[in-house]
Amino acid sequence: MNESDHEELRRELVSLLGEFKVLWNKSDLLPYTKDTYRIRFEDDHRYFPDFAVLPETTQEVQGIVGIAARRKIPLIPKGGGSNRTGMLVPIHGGILVDTIKMKRVVEVDKPNLCVTVQPGITLKELADCLEDYGLWLTQEQGSLKIATVGGAISTSGFSRFHQKYGVIADRVMSLEVVLADGSVLRTGPKVLYTSTGYRLHQLFIAAEGTLGIITEATLRVEPLPEARDVVLAFYDDFWGANDAAQRLMASGVVFSGAEAYEGHGMDKLGAPEDKTSLIYVIFHGTRGEVEAESAFVKKIVEGTHGVLAKHDVAMTFLDTYTEQWCGARALTGFEDVITTYVPMERMKEFYDKLWNEIAPKYGLEPLPGEKYGLDVGRYRMVGGRYWLPKGERAWERYQEAVREISVLATSFGGSIQSCHGVGIQHRENITLEYSDVALDTMRNIKKVLDPDNIMNPGKKIPSKKRVP
Ligand SMILES: Cc1cc2nc3c(=O)[nH]c(=O)nc-3n(C[C@H](O)[C@H](O)[C@H](O)COP(=O)(O)OP(=O)(O)OC[C@H]3O[C@@H](n4cnc5c(N)ncnc54)[C@H](O)[C@@H]3O)c2cc1C
């Protein structure tokens, strides 16, 4: 963009929003050059947006989109900035639309168990607000304190309570979206179930800002449960914890969420010295339900030679979970996490190939005691954590490793990403799991809604030519 176009655009944005909601100085734009994906490679501040804007209302978003549409300038909607695949990196410049000032709770409709909010409210802020009404959203992401409702919907965020309550994608009743031509779409009535019309709101789930800017969401909420509980148990190794996980899934017992993984620092949880792995299983419901379910799971632990943690330790573990995940460690980023889906019967083979063949080839160093993990339940996520490659061609080796892990997961009939989406990192990798017809259908949908490709261009939808 040349200087006079830049100045003209600046004047137009300022006249729409006022001076304080438009940023254009390089120093103000610096935080908008990266998300947690590029942060992992510190040297890189190469992509700047031309502007960042901070609208407060749908009308202001409409105005911004109108201005960008007339000039065919890219628009990148931003929530908490916690995505891990480069969805916010402004690779084509343009206007970054930060929703940080769009945090209003528009309506809490307790009798109909739904809430309408602006997109920039974080999941934690919404949870705190709902608690006053005796309600909860049930969307428990590790990034709860950072991730916004708009971001969670646009990435189809995973919740560790998914087994009983589903994920945010299952809770969207209706959305208000500003489309690329500046029109405002209400996707349908504020109901969870209807058989009329196409389910338009589904299009915007996991769309990564490529189809429009969500300006309001109506979500299904639940009454706060009467009781909750957790069973925490330790095992000699991951495969022992996995045995319990497999029995849990086969049993049909109701639980909110569960995870089995190889961990460290388990002595602090009271684990015997020789134990390297754990499983935890969470329950919500009436007191009677929760008691019966946890008693049932304790029997599974007994049958798989697990050692139960003390109850008070298990409850503290449950309460401090999000603190562990939201810590600075995850955001500074010398490490990465694999979040693939692999069919259960291929999980062992996947891990063998991952750690014995792929990791040494590209210099991925597994984090001590964090090689194995399984999110137990409907959306079985398989993964482990590793230090990023260092030294020569570190960035390239990282990309090549991610590609090979993706090839491995899809060759087993799995998915390359359970919950961290596509962004720029997996843009070409998703061709591994979709046919040409499926990819063309996605491109056609994008073309209908965003004919000039101004909505977060260069993300999600792969180029036409398949990478071999
Ligand atoms: C410590 C940590 C823990 C994590 N734990 C989890 C987890 O448990 N489960 C999980 O699923 N993910 C997790 N993640 C990944 C990340 O938090 C999720 O992808 C999250 O849902 C992104 O939300 P956000 O508000 O930060 O979105 P952003 O990163 O700001 O944006 C993500 C995408 O959504 C688009 N977008 C944002 N707002 C809008 C809007 N209003 N309209 C249209 N598009 C929009 C953006 O353009 C972008 O493409 C974790 C990340 C970290 C750093």
Side-chain angles (χ1 to χ4, degrees), residues 35-36 76-84 87-88 99 119-120 123 139-144 146-160 207-210 212-215 321 325-327 330-331 419-420 456:
D35 51 24
T36 69
I76 307 160
K78 177 182 181 293
S82 67
N83 83 85
R84 303 192 64 98
M87 297 171 190
L88 296 177
T99 58
L123 297 171
Q139 179 70 13
E140 180 92 347
Q141 295 188 194
S143 50
L144 190 77
I146 330 163
T148 60
V149 165
I153 293 169
S154 303
T155 54
S156 191
F158 178 79
S159 163
R160 72 176 175 138
E208 300 178 11
T210 60
I213 303 180
I214 299 167
T215 46
Y321 174 88
W325 285 113
C326 276
L331 289 171
C419 71
H420 287 160
N456 210 0

Side-chain angles (χ1 to χ4, degrees), residues 323-434:
E323 268 75 32
Q324 294 172 39
W325 285 113
C326 276
R329 173 189 148 192
L331 289 171
T332 49
F334 301 109
E335 60 180 71
D336 198 11
V337 58
I338 296 163
T339 48
T340 49
Y341 174 91
V342 182
M344 287 298 94
E345 67 281 10
R346 307 296 296 269
M347 182 168 62
K348 175 103 181 37
E349 207 182 330
F350 175 80
Y351 274 128
D352 284 347
K353 288 211 156 73
L354 169 65
W355 295 126
N356 300 330
E357 293 174 26
I358 299 175
K361 188 164 150 193
Y362 296 102
L364 310 184
E365 189 69 40
L367 261 72
E370 296 195 45
K371 272 162 94 174
Y372 305 104
L374 169 67
D375 259 292
V376 187
R378 274 188 278 178
Y379 302 147
R380 302 156 194 198
M381 192 155 66
V382 171
R385 304 178 86 83
Y386 58 84
W387 298 116
L388 293 167
K390 294 189 192 71
E392 236 177 83
R393 293 185 67 253
W395 177 255
E396 289 75 15
R397 281 190 285 124
Y398 169 50
Q399 298 303 329
E400 286 157 17
V402 167
R403 172 81 184 176
E404 205 163 318
I405 296 165
S406 304
V407 170
L408 182 63
T410 50
S411 73
F412 289 167
S415 171
I416 61 179
Q417 269 298 344
S418 288
C419 71
H420 287 160
V422 175
I424 43 182
Q425 183 174 36
H426 288 295
R427 200 172 152 226
E428 301 309 326
N429 295 340
I430 67 161
T431 59
L432 294 166
E433 53 182 82
Y434 291 99

